[in-house]
Amino acid sequence: MGEAIDLGDYADFTADPYPVYEELRARGPVHRVLLPKPADDGEAWLIVGHEEARAALIDPRLVKSPAKLGFSGLDEELIGTHLLITDPPHHTRLRSLVTRAFTARRVESLRPRIQRITDDLLDAMLPHGRADLVESFAFPLPLTVICELLGVPDIDRADFRRMSNEVVAPSDRDGEYATFVELAAYLRDLIEDKRASAPADDLLSALIRTTAEDGDRLSPDELCAMAFILLIAGHETTVNLIASGVRALLAHPDQLAALRADMTLLGGAVEEMLRYEGPVENATYRFTVEDTEVAGTVIPGGSAVLVGLAAAGHDPERFPEPDRFDIRRDARGHIAFGHGLHHCLGAPLARLEGQIALRSLLDRAPALALDGPADDWLPGMLIRGVRSLPVRW
């Protein structure tokens, strides 16, 4: 089987993992790795090829539920069973219930409100001449949108940002546990308040009321878990889509100029941003319940498997010259939002927010430029993004 490759041995892995992925891909599409500390710890099997990753995302032998191996994560223990840790038929049931409430029409109806929130944030930010784009724009925009969509009352942004960061990029085990306890208490109180209130036209209220034809509905624990995954995943990916997208444009002035000259390129530019520096580096864990051959490599039963979404986006077999950022590239086929049963439910909302945010920012800040280093990357193997993006205009 060979010795596991220690990703912590690569000094610049968090800041720039792509050369490491290229080196691994040259040896083969599947590798046993030791995850970098402190955010991650332990061993996993990492899939780095595009076609192999795409196939793994729909492989029923790679299960999502850790319970099938006899253990559970903090999210399941403290919050409940959500979409990212279930398999059919349980996953099918949960997804069908939330899809009833989270419709394409509901997402599209948000367009004017997203534009208004965007404009208000830019009104507050632009007079200052410089800002941390994450703190002032990329974070509050999707957080405000998802909170309004779910019907979450105003929450302390700094407090929630702390909790969200600790969930998706934990600093240590103790902090991660304490944050899950805090978040679970908040969500359960929120749902009880919703139940006791008059019916409202928000997504969380709709999920409380939603009933399938056979009378099935979400249990209290399932509601809490659904609120958790929609609230965290519903803003975290979009924060980093916007911030990393702007960062890529500012690092490639020719591409920024091309987009400013022709805004019809915006849709394709967002897809290239997702491919080039997508917000999710690796899909959440999958597990082998028995010895399983993946791309010619036998992964032992009981193993954790990471499907490399970022690595797949830089596979030259699928995307020629993958390290070149090109907004005119046909980036369709990327798997930044996953693939198959677990394809991101909120992908249309993230794309809509990203396009509105980028168009409005570029329109209103024609001299936008970096105002210092943007290299404080979030730790861990899940979320890819910078903690701050200093800009001026």
Side-chain angles (χ1 to χ4, degrees):
M1 187 183 298
E3 188 174 341
I5 299 165
D6 190 346
L7 297 178
D9 287 345
Y10 295 90
D12 298 323
F13 179 74
T14 299
D16 185 11
Y18 302 109
V20 180
Y21 293 146
E22 182 181 4
E23 179 184 323
L24 293 178
R25 201 161 37 238
R27 301 190 219 170
V30 182
H31 298 275
R32 187 163 64 102
V33 298
L34 293 176
L35 304 177
K37 299 177 181 180
D40 291 305
D41 194 4
E43 186 178 293
W45 291 80
L46 177 65
I47 300 174
V48 292
H50 180 273
E51 287 308 311
E52 294 81 5
R54 193 175 178 89
L57 291 171
I58 58 173
D59 190 334
R61 301 172 302 166
L62 301 178
V63 303
K64 295 290 288 181
S65 172
K68 292 182 178 177
L69 275 76
F71 69 94
S72 59
L74 287 180
D75 46 358
E76 188 170 17
E77 288 178 19
L78 298 174
I79 290 178
T81 304
H82 54 75
L83 287 167
L84 292 181
I85 52 174
T86 55
D87 302 290
H90 192 184
H91 175 271
T92 309
R93 170 182 164 269
L94 289 177
R95 182 140 182 156
S96 66
L97 285 169
V98 71
T99 300
R100 289 171 173 273
F102 196 39
T103 60
R105 180 180 296 180
R106 186 186 286 269
V107 170
E108 182 55 35
S109 72
L110 292 170
R111 182 183 292 273
R113 182 59 186 144
I114 295 171
Q115 186 66 63
R116 180 71 263 164
I117 296 167
T118 300
D119 291 341
D120 289 347
L121 288 170
L122 291 176
D123 287 345
M125 183 182 83
L126 291 176
H128 297 285
R130 56 175 17 110
D132 172 3
L133 195 75
V134 173
E135 180 183 347
S136 298
F137 187 62
F139 165 62
L141 171 58
L143 178 64
T144 303
V145 171
I146 199 64
C147 283
E148 290 191 4
L149 176 62
L150 285 171
V152 176
D154 288 341
I155 57 179
D156 185 286
R157 283 180 181 170
D159 201 38
F160 183 76
R161 186 68 177 147
R162 171 188 57 78
M163 286 193 288
S164 181
N165 273 351
E166 193 62 36
V167 166
V168 301
S171 58
D172 58 59
R173 301 287 183 179
D174 291 342
E176 184 182 18
Y177 184 87
T179 300
F180 268 104
V181 170
E182 184 181 2
L183 195 52
Y186 171 80
L187 292 172
R188 292 186 191 283
D189 288 346
L190 174 64
I191 289 167
E192 285 310 307
D193 288 346
K194 286 281 181 190
R195 287 189 185 280
S197 304
D201 185 28
D202 59 68
L203 182 55
L204 198 50
S205 296
L207 288 172
I208 291 171
R209 297 192 304 267
T210 292
T211 305
E213 285 85 350
D214 60 1
D216 186 23
R217 61 195 313 160
L218 295 169
S219 71
D221 281 350
E222 289 170 342
L223 271 170
C224 183
M226 194 69 77
F228 164 76
I229 204 67
L230 290 172
L231 191 56
I232 298 294
H235 89 278
E236 194 69 52
T237 50
T238 312
V239 172
N240 295 299
L241 166 58
I242 295 169
S244 294
V246 172
R247 184 178 182 275
L249 286 171
L250 296 180
H252 299 84
D254 59 325
Q255 299 301 302
L256 176 58
L259 182 57
R260 286 192 182 282
D262 183 3
M263 274 292 174
T264 65
L265 297 173
L266 181 59
V270 167
E271 298 310 307
E272 173 68 347
M273 292 166 188
L274 288 163
R275 179 206 69 82
Y276 179 78
E277 195 76 278
V280 182
E281 187 164 348
N282 296 279
T284 53
Y285 285 111
R286 284 161 168 77
F287 305 95
T288 54
V289 293
E290 59 187 25
D291 290 0
T292 304
E293 183 178 323
V294 175
T297 297
V298 176
I299 301 176
S303 298
V305 179
L306 286 174
V307 180
L309 308 184
H314 283 248
D315 185 345
E317 291 293 318
R318 177 61 183 81
F319 300 105
E321 297 182 76
D323 296 331
R324 179 171 56 85
F325 180 65
D326 180 2
I327 64 170
R328 292 186 175 87
R329 180 198 300 271
D330 183 357
R332 289 175 299 178
H334 70 72
I335 53 173
F337 286 121
H339 178 56
L341 292 175
H342 292 277
H343 182 270
C344 177
L345 189 69
L349 178 59
R351 286 184 165 105
L352 178 61
E353 290 179 81
Q355 290 186 25
I356 290 173
L358 289 162
R359 180 189 294 273
S360 301
L361 177 64
L362 295 182
D363 280 350
R364 296 185 58 183
L368 189 69
L370 285 173
D371 193 34
D375 53 9
D376 184 10
W377 292 90
L378 290 166
M381 296 284 288
L382 176 60
I383 293 295
R384 176 113 185 111
V386 290
R387 293 186 190 274
S388 64
L389 183 65
V391 291
R392 55 183 167 77
W393 48 87

